[in-house]
Amino acid sequence: MIGEITFKANFLSGVGKGAFFVNIDWVKEGIRKKFGFLPFPGTLNLKVKKEDFEKLQKIIPKGYVLIPPASSFCVARFLKGKVGEVEGVFVFPEERVWLHRNVLEFIAPYKVKERMELKEGDQVECAVFFKFTPDAVIFDLDGALVDPSEAYEEILKIISQKFKLLPPSKEEIKNLIKGRKDPWSFIFSTLDKEKLEEAKNLDKMLLPQIYPKKTKLLPYAVELIKELKKKGIKLAICTNQLELSNEIHELLEEKGIKDFFDLIIVRKLGEYFDKKEAIKICCEKFGVDILFSVYVTDDKKEAELCKEIGIQCIIVENLEEIAQILWN
């Protein structure tokens, strides 16, 4: 899988050593062969925060190694990346020749400073890409592993009939699930306070009964989970889906996939649930670095959440495609 680290950096003027390095014939040829471009004879120097530099150090071993023809030169590693919208590579020399801590050097086909009109100290958005096999894959539930639309359709139909309301359409239920909308304001907004409370109590009674029976696994879910487990990858479910009794665990048991998961974290009634902290707990319990873990969700808004805590994120389109993303 291709992982990504994003960070902000400040432009620094260099001392010309980058130009000397990039001008060497075997360096130019190595970059051309591996990355498909002839580098501009110079590097863009970027000052990064200490915590971002420490994170980047973890992925340096995953970079492409350029071995020099003579011992008088140092070994360097390269990782694809971007500065703003400019694509190129970041170069990471051996520790012994690294002049300044927390300073990165970026190589591109042209002079980035002029292309971006950078002045000393200007801040830029950066991204570095790296290939890795995940140590852990953490799934959201509804929309990521299972399709609960039939369960919610039946529950909402019963509640609607009880209060003589028009039941929501399949499309409305789909939008309700996809948009993480509150059904009480979205569908039952006409109910007064007393009837609304009655409707919520009915929902609490119906959900544990209907959810495990009517919820379906998404296509390719079993195959994907088995494949991940076979490769020795830690698996978890981490969802803010409310579990009123034990219906989520019953669902997973019913579908024959519960035992594949090393950890299941769900939201319980009356308990505070923080998705970011819950994902961190998964990685801590597994003893894996969050940077080399993956969160699978159908909610595009959660991509930003993943970026904040440093976990890689895959937005579900279909689970068969996810397998291809993980192994490419």
Side-chain angles (χ1 to χ4, degrees):
M1 174 177 175
I2 303 300
E4 178 182 1
I5 295 176
T6 57
F7 56 94
K8 292 178 181 178
N10 296 95
F11 167 65
L12 290 176
S13 297
V15 294
K17 287 207 170 187
F20 169 77
F21 174 73
V22 178
N23 255 324
I24 300 171
D25 288 341
W26 56 267
V27 174
K28 286 193 289 187
E29 184 60 15
I31 292 172
R32 186 193 67 78
K33 279 187 175 180
K34 180 63 181 177
F35 301 105
F37 70 88
L38 278 173
F40 171 82
T43 60
L44 185 76
N45 295 320
L46 298 163
K47 177 82 171 177
V48 299
K49 292 179 181 177
K50 182 183 177 183
E51 56 266 31
D52 290 324
F53 186 79
E54 289 173 352
K55 194 183 294 184
L56 289 164
Q57 283 184 303
K58 295 177 182 179
I59 65 169
I60 291 173
K62 299 183 181 297
Y64 166 69
V65 183
L66 185 61
I67 299 174
S71 59
S72 55
F73 294 98
C74 75
V75 174
R77 291 181 184 266
F78 295 82
L79 287 163
K80 283 187 177 182
K82 288 170 65 176
V83 174
E85 294 304 314
V86 177
E87 295 183 357
V89 293
F90 286 90
V91 56
F92 300 93
E94 286 181 325
E95 289 280 338
R96 63 186 175 88
V97 297
W98 213 323
L99 290 178
H100 305 288
R101 304 292 291 173
N102 302 358
V103 174
L104 305 179
E105 293 185 83
F106 182 70
I107 298 171
Y110 40 78
K111 193 170 185 178
V112 182
K113 176 186 174 182
E114 290 183 359
R115 179 67 66 96
M116 296 183 67
E117 299 180 344
L118 294 175
K119 300 186 294 293
E120 188 79 11
D122 280 355
Q123 190 174 79
V124 290
E125 297 278 347
C126 304
V128 178
F129 307 104
F130 60 99
K131 192 168 185 177
F132 76 108
T133 298
D135 295 321
V137 176
I138 303 167
F139 289 88
D140 194 5
L141 189 60
D142 285 358
L145 268 181
V146 302
D147 176 6
S149 54
E150 283 190 18
Y152 292 148
E153 184 179 353
E154 184 165 331
I155 292 167
L156 293 171
K157 182 180 178 181
I158 293 170
I159 296 173
S160 298
Q161 288 174 342
K162 166 77 175 175
F163 296 98
K164 297 180 172 56
L165 297 172
L166 189 68
S169 66
K170 290 182 184 291
E171 190 61 31
E172 284 176 319
I173 292 169
K174 183 180 176 182
N175 291 334
L176 181 74
I177 297 168
K178 195 75 175 173
R180 303 292 199 271
K181 293 181 179 178
D182 174 14
W184 310 113
S185 57
F186 184 62
I187 298 170
F188 302 110
S189 57
T190 58
L191 296 180
D192 61 33
K193 188 176 180 180
E194 186 178 331
K195 287 184 178 178
L196 187 61
E197 192 60 35
E198 189 180 345
K200 288 181 179 181
N201 288 332
L202 181 56
D203 175 60
K204 289 175 186 176
M205 183 186 76
L206 294 171
L207 185 66
Q209 299 171 23
I210 296 173
Y211 184 83
K213 295 177 182 176
K214 291 287 185 177
T215 298
K216 297 178 179 178
L217 287 177
L218 289 175
Y220 201 70
V222 174
E223 292 87 343
L224 175 61
I225 291 163
K226 285 183 176 179
E227 189 175 354
L228 291 170
K229 201 66 180 175
K230 188 177 179 181
K231 291 180 183 291
I233 294 170
K234 295 287 187 182
L235 297 180
I237 289 173
C238 180
T239 177
N240 57 4
Q241 165 74 22
L242 179 63
E243 184 173 58
L244 292 167
S245 58
N246 202 41
E247 65 272 12
I248 291 175
H249 287 74
E250 286 177 15
L251 167 69
L252 299 173
E253 189 78 58
E254 169 73 22
K255 303 302 181 185
I257 61 171
K258 181 174 174 287
D259 291 342
F260 287 104
F261 290 94
D262 303 284
L263 185 61
I264 298 170
I265 299 178
V266 299
R267 180 166 64 96
K268 294 291 187 179
L269 188 64
E271 290 183 2
Y272 174 72
F273 184 90
D274 185 318
K275 176 68 73 71
K276 290 190 284 189
E277 289 304 313
I279 292 172
K280 288 179 185 177
I281 287 169
C282 287
C283 294
E284 287 168 7
K285 289 198 173 184
F286 289 158
V288 300
D289 195 315
I290 197 167
L291 181 62
F292 303 121
S293 303
V294 177
Y295 186 67
V296 179
T297 177
D298 68 322
D299 187 354
K300 291 181 180 178
K301 295 175 186 174
E302 290 194 328
E304 194 58 40
L305 173 152
C306 291
K307 194 177 287 187
E308 288 175 21
I309 60 175
I311 193 169
Q312 306 304 313
C313 182
I314 298 178
I315 306 297
V316 172
E317 293 297 333
N318 71 70
L319 292 177
E320 195 163 5
E321 285 182 3
I322 286 180
Q324 294 170 4
I325 292 169
L326 287 170
W327 312 136
N328 286 341

